[in-house]
Amino acid sequence: MAERSAGSDDESPHAKRRKLASVSISAQENIEIHSSKNLHELLNFEQDTGSNVKHKIRSLRSFLNVIKYGTDAQDQATKRHLLLEFLQSRSSTVGETDALALSGLVQTWHFAVQNNSESLCSSVAACFALLLGSISSGLEFRDFGNALCRTLLHEDQLKLFMRGMSAHRHKEHLINSCLRLLTEIVQFDGGSAANLVYRQRETTFQRLDVFLSMRNEVRGADSPSRRRPSIREIALRYVCTNLRLQGRTAKSYILSNTRIVRSLLQDIAHDPSWTIHELLGALKKDILEDASLSYSTKVYFFNDWTLGCLATLYSYSDTKGTSTQPSVKDTVHTLLLSICIPSSQEICCHSEAKESAKDVYALSKNGSRDEEFSRDFGSTTMSKRHRNILAFLKNLRPYANILQADLILECFRVAPTLIDDYFSGKTTFSFDPKLTATWVGYSRFLLAIIQLPPYLSVWQEESDEDSCTKRLLSCILPQPLAQKVLTRCLNQSSFLVTFLTVMLLNAAFDKLAQVIKILRGEQKHSYKRLFEASERVVQGLVAGFSTRCPEMKHVISQFCGCPKDKYAFREALTRLLASYYNQIPSIAFDARFDTSAALSETIKDLDQQHKTLKGASFRKLELDHLLDVVFHFPNMQWWHKAEEEQLSPFARLLGMHVRRTETGQTGQMAQILNAIMGDYSILRSGNTFHALDVLTISLRTAPDEVNSEAWGYLDNCIVRLVRKPIVYYELMDDLIAAHVPANSISSCNIDLLMIVLAEQWPYICQRKSIFAVCNVARWLNSYMSLLLHTGSSPELLSALREHFVNTTIDPSHRTIFEQSPDKPLEPEIRLQLDAARDVHKIPTVDGLVLPKVTENIKPEVIFIPPGPQPEKEDHPELYAWTREDAQEALSNGLIQELVLCLCSQHEGVRKESLTNIYRFMNNLEASGYSERQQTYLLLGEISETAGQIIAEQPLPYFAGTLAAALLIVLADPLHFMYSKASKFLNKGPQWNLARLPSYWVDKVILHEPTDDETHYQEIDWLLDVLIDGLRTPAVSTAFNPLSWDIR
């Protein structure tokens, strides 16, 4: 059969049929509404879902759009009046007829659902939402609007919402209109119909978790127009409206619905910024600050998962915010601070919160909530009560985000005990030295933790001292900063790593000093029991800190290898060295540090930089820190002068003091100089401080060319006086005997330095040039004039002046000393003397110094040191050594603790300790420990000594502490007490307990030390053993020197 071809004319049966309507209704313009009659015709029900009905709905929406969004106020008011007139004409009793005026529109919605007209359903629902939004601001529409809300939420209309809410995900227009309408119903008239929405929650809240997960394809993109918001944005606004206007029961239902909460907060960082701001505002105002919500509801909602979702907004990339609205990062940071920081909304601090909101706010009003919260920090249940915050904080990244670090720091500022729990078991990042951005950020975070103000409420009389000490130590030096890690950081080749480590240690030392100062400051106002507890806490802090910080030799190594041009680093290192000597001197004195060389070098550099001022401020701080070290350093070599040096360290320090007094910055330098001059009797001991001022003024007011010659002469005389003081004491006695009457000898005043200057003057005249001798003579003359006006004996000064005249070779130089000494001082010098007297409050009459009047000063209250801690009930040290080999048991102190068990008050503990010591001796003899012979000998002697008495009484504690200390000594052959310990062990197999104290006092204090430089170290070692061994009155009798027989 041949195939037929289709024709091309319009009469062909294959041609497409045309529409019969000549004009499309949809193309017509909106129906104009000029009266209530037009509105009635527009809202009449028609059994049709075609274009005519849709056109009427569009016309109604256009009419309502003018009322709600119109810009012409007159047109807006006219249409608003028409709508009110229509509603009043159709229903005179709105409350009884239940809004029958819009029954036609409701029937249209029903008919559209029955005929499956989705576009008409969406348009009618949107029209209702627009109507409620248009009349919500008018009080005259209030009754009608409430009636309309009741009609829409009636059981007959719920299936209409069911049709839209159960639509497929791709039918967003149905879901959109229903959610908008429900939102308008909830917020109409301030939420008067919100409870009706909650009653029908099976319909109104259905699939809400699904809608909250329906985002646009381009997530997180802030569209400028936002013409078509996503279903999630509309649903999120619906949820926020419910949280704002619903009652306590409805809000609790929403917050306890895990599916809704998870969909609400999951991937919140992908939302536009305006929705995020709206949600965060609802969380803060409508949940956190809502007094009607129960405490447990808030705790259940703001768990660690919720806080973690909110923390993802820290990485949200948006604009920095405007003048009226902050950025998302700042907003979420403020919210998290309100949640985590204890206040009237401290909802995360209890795992089982049973307090009502009334109780919480009652406490917050009288200000006792924070105090109660602070007192709970020392309790053992602290970690459980803070587990929500801790679980959240541990998942943050403070090393990568500044705001996250600030949040953690604010939590630590209010609850410092969180620091210990925060780092416990936290292994996400170690502080191993690696020069990376992460390591630098983490070090900054740790530095900020250390710099938090000290918080000492954790130590109380009823608190456990060990746990309080541990928590305080974690606030001073957090757990990641262990000794091994800090030592590795200090020895790194990277300058930045080492510098940051030094900053961390400096901050830790400063905080330790603050804590100790506060603890000891409270002792004066404490009861005896609290005083003893605080003192034990201080001792525990110092001991724990000493084991956590690096050994001082590593700091000294860094200081010696630090270039001079790195001023800030050198200043930080010297500050750290001073902190070691101030806070933990027992560790500091174990290392050897040439303080005199460092001080001389620093002063010399400052002399050279005095003119250029390059790095002078840092070097001055460095000098202050070195002076702080010198103040605690007993073996400072003040008079040792290197070959290339012209002046001794003391003279350089005195010169620096002369220059600093010009600006009034003397500080500790003056104290050191006065202490040195007082110890060596360089200046008068009765008036030493004023004598130093006189010497300083004379050197400062002298011309530069005079000072350059006078400094060498003065330094040489001081060094001679220190080396041979007896010679100059005899010369002073001869001078006083020759020129002062016998009845006035006790009142004469003269500095020993003046005697040395006069004795060395003839040699200066012979060896120096004429110009140099002239300059020195001018300075001597001015110095003696100042001494005459400041209380020195005139007779002795006249005799010394006569000696200078007779021994001067050049006649021109004699005239300098022959000038009248009674001439008045220059005004500038007089002002400086008056200023020195005002500073030190030295009374004067007619320019003469008056003796000081001794006042009745109350003696300082001396607090007795705390006694020893009571013996513990259990003794794990009896068997702790069995888990390790001999060398490790000795190095870890387990054997020392085992030996101290011989001093127990319980006979069974003493006998068990003796048996275990014998067992350890067998293990020690079979081990490869290098010092096993000496250790075996020591343990054998203490065992033989204790075996004679432990059946009747405990071993004296001094013998136990001595044996424990000797175990440490014998482990190190280079120990300064090793020689004396070996001689003691060779005396016999048993110890004479009654003569133990006298024997060691004789060998350590009354005999020469093993090494000339370890005398004070040996004394410190013995004092530690003696003090630790003084436990009972019976032991104190052995410490009585009257019972000693020292031969």
Side-chain angles (χ1 to χ4, degrees):
M1 181 184 295
E3 184 180 355
R4 294 182 300 176
S5 60
S8 60
D9 56 332
D10 293 339
E11 300 298 332
S12 172
H14 298 280
K16 186 177 180 181
R17 184 179 177 182
R18 292 183 177 180
K19 290 183 180 181
L20 299 179
S22 58
V23 181
S24 177
I25 297 178
S26 60
Q28 295 178 0
E29 297 181 356
N30 293 330
I31 301 175
E32 295 292 335
I33 300 175
H34 300 289
S35 63
S36 60
K37 183 179 180 181
N38 299 135
L39 276 176
H40 176 70
E41 294 174 354
L42 202 62
L43 295 174
N44 277 340
F45 170 66
E46 297 181 11
Q47 290 190 355
D48 184 19
T49 58
S51 303
N52 189 25
V53 176
K54 295 179 181 178
H55 178 61
K56 289 182 178 181
I57 297 298
R58 280 197 303 271
S59 301
L60 179 61
R61 291 179 64 180
S62 177
F63 174 76
L64 295 175
N65 273 326
V66 174
I67 296 177
K68 187 174 183 179
Y69 303 110
T71 56
D72 190 350
Q74 184 177 0
D75 186 26
Q76 190 178 19
T78 302
K79 294 186 183 308
R80 190 183 187 89
H81 179 71
L82 287 176
L83 179 60
L84 179 62
E85 183 182 352
F86 165 73
L87 296 175
Q88 289 177 350
S89 64
R90 298 296 299 175
S91 180
S92 58
T93 57
V94 175
E96 298 176 0
T97 59
D98 203 13
L100 294 179
L102 295 180
S103 60
L105 193 58
V106 175
Q107 293 176 7
T108 302
W109 194 1
H110 278 278
F111 188 76
V113 172
Q114 294 173 3
N115 290 273
N116 200 24
S117 179
E118 296 178 354
S119 60
L120 185 58
C121 290
S122 175
S123 299
V124 174
C127 188
F128 275 118
L130 188 59
L131 175 61
L132 288 175
S134 302
I135 66 176
S136 61
S137 60
L139 187 62
E140 62 275 10
F141 295 100
R142 176 182 178 182
D143 295 333
F144 174 79
N146 288 327
L148 179 59
C149 292
R150 290 192 297 270
T151 300
L152 293 175
L153 293 176
H154 194 268
E155 293 181 0
D156 296 337
Q157 280 68 250
L158 285 179
K159 62 182 179 180
L160 304 177
F161 287 101
M162 182 75 71
R163 175 69 177 83
M165 302 284 281
S166 61
H168 195 269
R169 295 172 62 97
H170 72 271
K171 296 181 180 181
E172 295 185 357
H173 56 289
L174 291 176
I175 304 172
N176 188 338
S177 57
C178 290
L179 289 176
R180 288 181 183 273
L181 178 55
L182 287 174
T183 303
E184 293 294 340
I185 293 174
V186 173
Q187 67 185 4
F188 184 79
D189 193 21
S192 60
N195 193 33
L196 297 176
V197 176
Y198 171 67
R199 290 179 184 177
Q200 306 295 339
R201 57 187 175 275
E202 293 182 359
T203 301
T204 56
F205 288 165
Q206 70 166 335
R207 299 184 68 201
L208 194 55
D209 55 329
V210 178
F211 302 150
L212 288 170
S213 62
M214 295 173 60
R215 290 182 169 86
N216 287 331
E217 294 181 359
V218 183
R219 297 184 177 183
D222 289 340
S223 176
S225 60
R226 296 199 305 270
R227 294 178 181 177
R228 295 188 59 186
S230 64
I231 297 298
R232 170 178 168 80
E233 296 170 8
I234 300 172
L236 190 144
R237 177 162 290 178
Y238 175 51
V239 173
C240 292
T241 304
N242 278 279
L243 292 176
R244 185 174 70 253
L245 300 173
Q246 289 284 6
R248 178 177 61 88
T249 306
K251 294 169 71 171
S252 300
Y253 170 78
I254 297 174
L255 297 178
S256 60
N257 193 317
T258 307
R259 298 172 62 183
I260 294 178
V261 172
R262 182 169 294 273
S263 301
L264 180 67
L265 297 176
Q266 197 168 21
D267 296 331
I268 189 177
H270 296 162
D271 291 335
S273 60
W274 65 275
T275 60
I276 295 177
H277 280 291
E278 185 175 0
L279 176 59
L280 296 180
L283 295 180
K284 182 178 182 181
K285 184 177 181 181
D286 304 323
I287 300 179
L288 187 64
E289 299 177 354
D290 189 358
S292 64
L293 283 177
S294 64
Y295 199 80
S296 58
T297 301
K298 295 181 181 181
V299 173
Y300 182 81
F301 177 74
F302 287 107
N303 51 37
D304 55 334
W305 183 88
T306 302
L307 299 178
C309 292
L310 294 176
T312 58
L313 296 177
Y314 277 118
S315 59
Y316 191 86
S317 57
D318 64 339
T319 57
K320 296 183 180 180
T322 61
S323 58
T324 58
Q325 186 180 38
S327 63
V328 172
K329 298 177 183 179
D330 296 335
T331 305
V332 73
H333 183 64
T334 304
L335 174 62
L336 289 176
L337 283 176
S338 303
I339 295 173
C340 297
I341 301 303
S343 62
S344 59
Q345 305 94 18
E346 49 164 314
I347 63 174
C348 291
C349 301
H350 302 273
S351 59
E352 297 179 358
K354 299 181 179 179
E355 296 176 324
S356 63
K358 181 179 179 180
D359 297 332
V360 175
Y361 273 82
L363 286 170
S364 65
K365 288 180 180 179
N366 58 26
S368 61
R369 164 62 64 184
D370 291 341
E371 297 175 3
E372 181 178 311
F373 184 81
S374 300
R375 288 195 298 269
D376 288 339
F377 288 163
S379 63
T380 56
T381 60
M382 186 275 303
S383 59
K384 295 181 180 179
R385 300 179 67 183
H386 293 79
R387 68 168 182 257
N388 283 345
I389 290 182
L390 284 173
F392 163 62
L393 296 181
K394 287 185 177 182
N395 292 326
L396 296 180
R397 302 174 63 209
Y399 48 82
N401 190 289
I402 296 179
L403 289 178
Q404 292 185 19
D406 292 342
L407 174 63
I408 299 177
L409 291 173
E410 287 300 323
C411 294
F412 290 168
R413 189 185 305 276
V414 179
T417 50
L418 286 175
I419 300 176
D420 185 43
D421 297 324
Y422 175 80
F423 290 107
S424 297
K426 184 178 176 62
T427 58
T428 55
F429 182 80
S430 61
F431 198 64
D432 290 336
K434 298 177 183 178
L435 187 56
T436 60
T438 302
W439 188 91
V440 174
Y442 199 69
S443 62
R444 173 200 172 275
F445 172 63
L446 292 176
L447 178 61
I449 291 177
I450 298 173
Q451 291 175 343
L452 291 174
Y455 192 90
L456 300 179
S457 294
V458 298
W459 79 272
Q460 296 292 340
E461 184 175 5
E462 67 277 7
S463 301
D464 182 55
E465 295 175 7
D466 294 336
S467 62
C468 291
T469 303
K470 178 184 176 183
R471 294 189 181 279
L472 282 175
L473 186 60
S474 65
C475 298
I476 298 172
L477 205 60
Q479 293 181 9
L481 300 178
Q483 186 181 44
K484 292 183 179 179
V485 176
L486 289 173
T487 303
R488 291 179 57 190
C489 294
L490 274 178
N491 295 325
Q492 283 292 307
S493 58
S494 173
F495 166 73
L496 183 59
V497 172
T498 308
F499 185 55
L500 290 176
T501 306
V502 173
M503 291 180 62
L504 287 170
L505 289 173
N506 279 326
F509 272 105
D510 292 342
K511 193 168 184 178
L512 176 64
Q514 294 177 15
V515 171
I516 294 176
K517 182 179 179 181
I518 295 175
L519 284 174
R520 288 179 171 167
E522 293 182 359
Q523 293 175 0
K524 298 181 180 180
H525 310 286
S526 303
Y527 295 104
K528 180 180 179 181
R529 185 178 177 185
L530 283 178
F531 161 73
E532 294 177 354
S534 64
E535 186 61 29
R536 286 194 294 269
V537 170
V538 169
Q539 294 176 1
L541 280 177
V542 174
F545 190 87
S546 301
T547 59
R548 297 284 298 277
C549 63
E551 296 181 2
M552 190 175 174
K553 62 182 181 180
H554 301 288
V555 183
I556 296 175
S557 176
Q558 286 293 329
F559 176 77
C560 296
C562 180
K564 295 183 179 180
D565 55 347
K566 293 183 178 180
Y567 305 112
F569 188 37
R570 287 184 63 89
E571 186 273 332
L573 285 172
T574 52
R575 178 184 172 190
L576 182 57
L577 289 172
S579 299
Y580 269 89
Y581 281 99
N582 288 328
Q583 305 301 328
I584 47 175
S586 59
I587 303 298
F589 285 114
D590 289 342
R592 294 188 177 183
F593 178 48
D594 192 355
T595 314
S596 57
L599 182 64
S600 300
E601 184 179 2
T602 303
I603 297 177
K604 182 179 179 181
D605 294 340
L606 274 174
D607 292 338
Q608 298 175 356
Q609 295 173 352
H610 183 67
K611 299 179 180 180
T612 60
L613 297 179
K614 182 179 180 181
S617 57
F618 284 106
R619 299 311 296 269
K620 289 179 181 178
L621 293 175
E622 179 184 341
L623 176 61
D624 292 338
H625 300 323
L626 287 175
L627 291 176
D628 200 6
V629 173
V630 168
F631 194 78
H632 299 85
F633 202 78
N635 298 326
M636 177 64 185
Q637 298 180 359
W638 289 108
W639 322 112
H640 178 72
K641 182 166 55 174
E643 296 179 358
E644 66 277 3
E645 299 291 337
Q646 297 180 355
L647 300 177
S648 64
F650 176 82
R652 291 192 178 277
L653 183 63
L654 180 61
M656 183 60 63
H657 172 71
V658 170
R659 290 191 295 272
R660 283 200 174 188
T661 50
E662 298 178 2
T663 58
Q665 301 176 353
T666 55
Q668 198 173 16
M669 191 181 302
Q671 299 180 16
I672 295 175
L673 289 173
N674 279 294
I676 297 172
M677 290 188 174
D679 292 341
Y680 291 96
S681 302
I682 299 175
L683 298 178
R684 295 190 300 273
S685 59
N687 199 15
T688 303
F689 208 87
H690 183 72
L692 176 62
D693 292 335
V694 174
L695 179 62
T696 303
I697 293 173
S698 67
L699 293 170
R700 187 172 63 245
T701 56
D704 295 338
E705 62 275 6
V706 174
N707 266 337
S708 60
E709 300 294 340
W711 275 112
Y713 173 51
L714 178 63
D715 184 28
N716 179 59
C717 292
I718 292 177
V719 172
R720 286 180 173 273
L721 172 60
V722 171
R723 292 177 177 175
K724 297 180 180 180
I726 302 300
V727 175
Y728 299 103
Y729 272 114
E730 294 176 354
L731 292 177
M732 184 174 65
D733 293 340
D734 296 341
L735 180 65
I736 294 175
H739 297 87
V740 178
N743 57 355
S744 302
I745 293 179
S746 59
S747 61
C748 66
N749 292 320
I750 193 65
D751 292 329
L752 194 60
L753 175 63
M754 220 34 243
I755 305 299
V756 189
L757 294 174
E759 190 266 342
Q760 288 294 316
W761 175 248
Y763 304 102
I764 295 296
C765 295
Q766 296 175 4
R767 299 175 183 176
K768 296 290 184 179
S769 63
I770 298 176
F771 180 76
V773 173
C774 179
N775 291 331
V776 175
R778 291 167 59 187
W779 170 73
L780 282 172
N781 182 61
S782 63
Y783 181 47
M784 287 190 291
S785 299
L786 287 174
L787 290 175
L788 182 62
H789 287 82
T790 54
S792 295
S793 299
E795 303 87 353
L796 298 178
L797 288 177
S798 299
L800 291 174
R801 187 179 293 274
E802 182 178 357
H803 171 76
F804 282 115
V805 172
N806 295 333
T807 56
T808 302
I809 300 175
D810 196 322
S812 61
H813 299 161
R814 295 175 187 170
T815 57
I816 298 176
F817 296 108
E818 291 173 353
Q819 297 177 4
S820 175
D822 299 332
K823 66 177 182 179
L825 297 175
E826 298 180 1
E828 180 182 356
I829 300 177
R830 172 62 65 181
L831 290 175
Q832 295 181 18
L833 283 176
D834 294 340
R837 293 191 185 103
D838 293 339
V839 169
H840 306 298
K841 296 181 175 56
I842 299 175
T844 58
V845 175
D846 297 333
L848 298 177
V849 179
L850 295 180
K852 294 183 180 180
V853 180
T854 304
E855 299 179 358
N856 294 327
I857 302 176
K858 295 182 179 180
E860 183 181 358
V861 179
I862 300 176
F863 292 95
I864 302 175
Q869 296 184 2
E871 183 179 355
K872 298 181 180 179
E873 296 182 359
D874 57 338
H875 292 272
E877 58 271 15
L878 290 174
Y879 301 99
W881 63 272
T882 59
R883 295 189 293 267
E884 300 179 1
D885 58 15
Q887 184 173 358
E888 291 182 355
L890 286 168
S891 60
N892 294 335
L894 300 179
I895 305 304
Q896 287 88 319
E897 296 177 357
L898 179 62
V899 169
L900 291 177
C901 289
L902 295 172
C903 309
S904 174
Q905 298 296 323
H906 306 286
E907 182 181 354
V909 175
R910 299 195 298 267
K911 292 183 177 180
E912 189 70 22
S913 174
L914 183 61
T915 303
N916 287 326
I917 290 176
Y918 285 129
R919 290 175 55 193
F920 176 76
M921 291 172 63
N922 295 331
N923 296 342
L924 180 65
E925 190 175 12
S927 67
Y929 183 45
S930 59
E931 300 298 326
R932 61 181 180 275
Q933 294 182 356
Q934 290 289 84
T935 306
Y936 185 89
L937 180 61
L938 172 62
L939 293 175
E941 291 184 6
I942 191 65
S943 300
E944 290 295 326
T945 305
Q948 303 295 329
I949 62 173
I950 60 173
E952 300 177 358
Q953 62 181 0
L955 181 72
Y957 211 90
F958 172 72
T961 56
L962 176 62
L966 291 178
L967 283 174
I968 301 176
V969 172
L970 296 178
D972 182 14
L974 298 179
H975 198 279
F976 53 86
M977 291 296 297
Y978 190 86
S979 176
K980 286 185 170 62
S982 300
K983 293 180 181 179
F984 172 72
L985 295 179
N986 293 328
K987 287 176 63 64
Q990 293 185 6
W991 295 356
N992 188 348
L993 298 177
R995 297 191 59 183
L996 275 182
S998 61
Y999 172 83
W1000 283 100
V1001 170
D1002 177 35
K1003 298 303 179 182
V1004 173
I1005 298 179
L1006 302 181
H1007 281 71
E1008 297 180 354
T1010 305
D1011 189 355
D1012 295 338
E1013 297 180 358
T1014 61
H1015 179 61
Y1016 292 103
Q1017 296 181 12
E1018 293 182 5
I1019 294 176
D1020 290 341
W1021 181 88
L1022 178 60
L1023 290 177
D1024 291 339
V1025 176
L1026 290 172
I1027 294 174
D1028 193 17
L1030 186 60
R1031 296 299 180 104
T1032 60
V1035 178
S1036 63
T1037 57
F1039 285 16
N1040 188 359
L1042 298 178
S1043 63
W1044 293 352
D1045 183 15
I1046 301 177
R1047 294 184 175 91

